[in-house]
Amino acid sequence: RRGLCGAAGPPSTRQLREAEEAAPVFQYAGKAARRKDRVFVWGFSYSGALGVPSFVRPDEGWKKPRRIQTTPYRLETEEKISSAACGYGFTLLASNTRDITKVWGMGLNKDSQLGFQRSRRDQTKGYEYVLEPSPIPLPLEKPQQTRVLQVSCGRAHSLVLTDSEGVFTMGNNSYGQCGRKVVEDEIYSGSHLIHQLKEFDSRVVQVVCGQDHSLFRTKKGTVYACGWGADGQTGLGHYNITSVPTKLHGDIAGVNIIQVSSYGDCCLAVSDEGDVFGWGNSEYLQLASVTETTQVNVPRHLPFKIGKVKEAACGGTGNVVLTEEGNVFVWGYGILGKGPNLIETAVPEMIPPSLFGQSDFSPDIRVAHVRCGLSQFAALTNRGELFVWGKNLRGCLGTGRMEDQYFPWRVTVPGEVVDVACGVDHMVSMVRSFT
Amino acid sequence: GGGGAVELVAARVPVLADHPLVRGPRFKKLKIGAGHRLDVKASGVFVLGIGHGNKLLTDLHNCHLTKVYTVGGLFGKATDDFSDTGNLVEKTTFDHITREKLERILAVIQGTNQKALLTYSNIDMKTQEAYELAVKGLIRPMGKSPPIITAVRCLQFALPEFQLEIHCLHETQQYLRKMVHEIGLELKSSAVCTRVRRTRDGVFTVDDALPRTQWNLQSIQEAIRNCQLKVETELEKTLG
């Protein structure tokens, strides 16, 4: 039975207005709300390279393991990750914190490319597969002051660059790629050895791993190399192994190099004037613009007339450069990004900017960075969008499909993509949330 | 017979049989068809076809051209039907929202819908043809598809109000209101839609549209004449 108070029919406009004004206001974002930094991974998971153990060993018995993660998946990390690198079946994440733990590794560890990961079952042995991001103990002199600037991964070795203690190398050294003398019959599995390199003409500012060689770029603009040289990828004028980082000459002698790149057996370097230099494998027409030989063991200037080059990235069979105007040029062999008809070219061809979202409606979209995996490419725009193309090996493109992608395709990431690292069959991206 | 020639002069007198009150109204039945739906709470361009124009309406629908809306939104409120006249669900703070944050969200909406554009167009991505169409930006679904937003941008931003220009395909106005609500959620607040106004439907813009004061025969006939050429060229370009 209704009392005498209360309205008889639907609430009047005044009552609605009063109820609205009296309603409580909820606050979802406080004053200190900041954009959060996150890490997203995708690709082949069974090697442990994605760092999600439940993909390989599900928590519940009835759940099935996830072999391939086809779309970006968030990886929880303890610290903000400033640099990431994907190797052949393993990943390194680094933070530029002053805390003791600065580098984490996950994935394949059969050559101790992730350092020594003590096994819990047998304290004398190490893990061969690391399924979640595990700290890598670096032998730092001042662990609470030194910062890790950058990491890089190759086929079975890794390089860690610090700001004041040089470069640390670990992993396979059968070709001298770790910058130390090759020990015959050395067993790399379960090794505690992490080598430190400090002898360069100035501070090292960038480290790059090729498949079985390492490149170091110093502040003065010189490039050092060590490792396997059968394709001339060390650029030292011979085809032998080098086990000590040695300075490169050739066309880059005296040139201020501002960026080097390599992932397979071909290497590219960009000078401060916007010129491109290349050396190494040229079986896939990567250096065919200057020579017919399939191996080039001395850096050669590539006379491209495409404008001032800002950044270059080398893949296994294809290369990509980004010019100052924001245009992307590709050449080499494979799926280059201009449809299925372009399989190989020795001369760079431009990818139309409309494929990256530029149109009359949004005319100021530009590509800001380019990255290369073994057989795939990635481009980051100034709006924080990630575009990928190339061979979709075990879902490494992150498009949600398993087919190869013949032209740049947007990857849906819930955030603004700041940087991306491409591997053979997986990718890692550093993303900032929107709000 | 008297003097000069007799000139016959025709004099016109009104005939009662011609009078509309005797004969009846000139048009008794008119076949009028409506174009793309516009719901009660929205306003703007609404395309109608008269008589033989109804066939053109079907053809225009099959062209799948984009429509442009001006959508107004208000931060701080959430209602059950996503518009400002619905029942209040929640009130939230909104002073942390900036134009930059809004534009970032809009860029993402555009990005995900670009992918939908390519996926629903039913073109095999592995062909050179697909690449060429993607470069020119001419890929769009030519059949049934869920609502797709081809472009969004922020026209005005003055907290708590904001205005967006949305270019879309296969949408409903309620979908646009829901989008405003979701933008509010993404920005860690809430938003309601205050107005939806269609400014363009395929080839017809606000300038071609007749306001309420011009809903008479002469204006309608003139409007049809002015738009005829536009409609014909568009139909030929798309349907061949």
Side-chain angles (χ1 to χ4, degrees), chain B residues 9-216:
Chain B
V9 177
R12 207 179 181 114
V13 269
V15 177
L16 271 180
D18 260 342
H19 199 271
L21 285 175
V22 170
R23 213 172 35 156
R26 199 173 175 112
F27 297 101
K28 264 202 234 167
K29 264 200 217 167
L30 272 182
K31 279 215 181 109
I32 299 189
H36 293 115
R37 222 171 278 187
L38 195 65
D39 66 13
V40 180
K41 283 185 271 192
S43 62
V45 175
F46 187 41
V47 179
L48 297 152
I50 302 182
H52 294 301
N54 288 308
K55 283 186 231 136
L56 291 176
L57 267 184
T58 340
D59 292 335
L60 275 177
H61 176 80
N62 293 335
C63 281
H64 301 281
L65 301 166
T66 55
K67 299 179 210 62
V68 180
Y69 288 82
T70 310
V71 174
L74 190 73
F75 285 120
K77 251 174 43 162
T79 54
D80 57 356
D81 65 354
F82 312 131
S83 76
D84 54 348
T85 52
N87 297 322
L88 180 73
V89 167
E90 195 181 64
K91 280 198 328 191
T92 57
T93 58
F94 50 83
D95 18 321
H96 59 276
I97 302 178
T98 60
R99 188 171 185 148
E100 220 185 57
K101 287 186 190 168
L102 179 64
E103 297 201 326
R104 241 179 270 144
I105 305 281
L106 296 181
V108 159
I109 292 178
Q110 216 169 317
T112 41
N113 278 275
Q114 284 282 11
K115 272 177 43 166
L117 209 59
L118 294 172
T119 342
Y120 285 103
S121 63
N122 280 333
I123 295 190
D124 188 4
M125 291 295 155
K126 297 205 179 155
T127 56
Q128 186 69 14
E129 187 199 334
Y131 165 73
E132 306 217 321
L133 286 176
V135 171
K136 284 191 229 152
L138 289 181
I139 296 191
R140 63 172 193 269
M142 293 305 275
K144 260 189 120 173
S145 87
I148 296 183
I149 313 275
T150 54
V152 204
R153 75 172 154 196
C154 179
L155 294 175
Q156 279 175 32
F157 184 82
L159 281 178
E161 292 171 1
F162 65 99
Q163 242 191 35
L164 303 174
E165 183 186 310
I166 305 181
H167 297 233
C168 41
L169 275 177
H170 306 161
E171 80 304 336
T172 56
Q173 285 81 42
Q174 192 61 11
Y175 179 81
L176 297 176
R177 289 190 197 101
K178 189 169 175 199
M179 207 176 88
V180 169
H181 168 82
E182 284 172 359
I183 289 176
L185 291 180
E186 271 294 328
L187 290 166
K188 298 205 178 119
S189 176
S190 52
V192 288
C193 178
T194 47
R195 52 126 73 166
V196 176
R197 180 173 184 250
R198 184 150 67 196
T199 49
R200 196 188 150 109
D201 185 343
V203 283
F204 300 96
T205 61
V206 175
D207 305 320
D208 306 320
L210 297 171
R212 184 75 180 82
T213 49
Q214 287 181 15
W215 288 4
N216 49 47

Side-chain angles (χ1 to χ4, degrees), chain A residues 127-202:
Chain A
Y127 283 126
E128 285 202 331
Y129 290 89
V130 177
L131 296 182
E132 61 176 359
S134 307
I136 297 181
L138 294 173
L140 293 166
E141 252 181 47
K142 304 200 174 109
Q144 283 172 322
Q145 279 180 37
T146 316
R147 287 191 206 266
V148 167
L149 298 176
Q150 193 220 328
V151 281
S152 186
C153 302
R155 182 187 61 85
H157 72 295
S158 355
L159 301 178
V160 176
L161 173 65
T162 60
D163 59 353
S164 52
E165 294 196 35
V167 181
F168 290 89
T169 67
M170 44 203 176
N172 190 300
N173 192 42
S174 15
Y175 305 109
Q177 60 264 50
C178 285
R180 57 184 172 89
K181 194 143 166 274
V182 180
V183 172
E184 226 180 272
D185 297 328
E186 180 177 350
I187 299 176
Y188 299 104
S189 165
S191 160
H192 291 251
L193 185 53
I194 298 184
H195 188 65
Q196 187 179 20
L197 294 167
K198 283 204 268 199
E199 256 92 69
F200 297 95
D201 64 1
S202 50

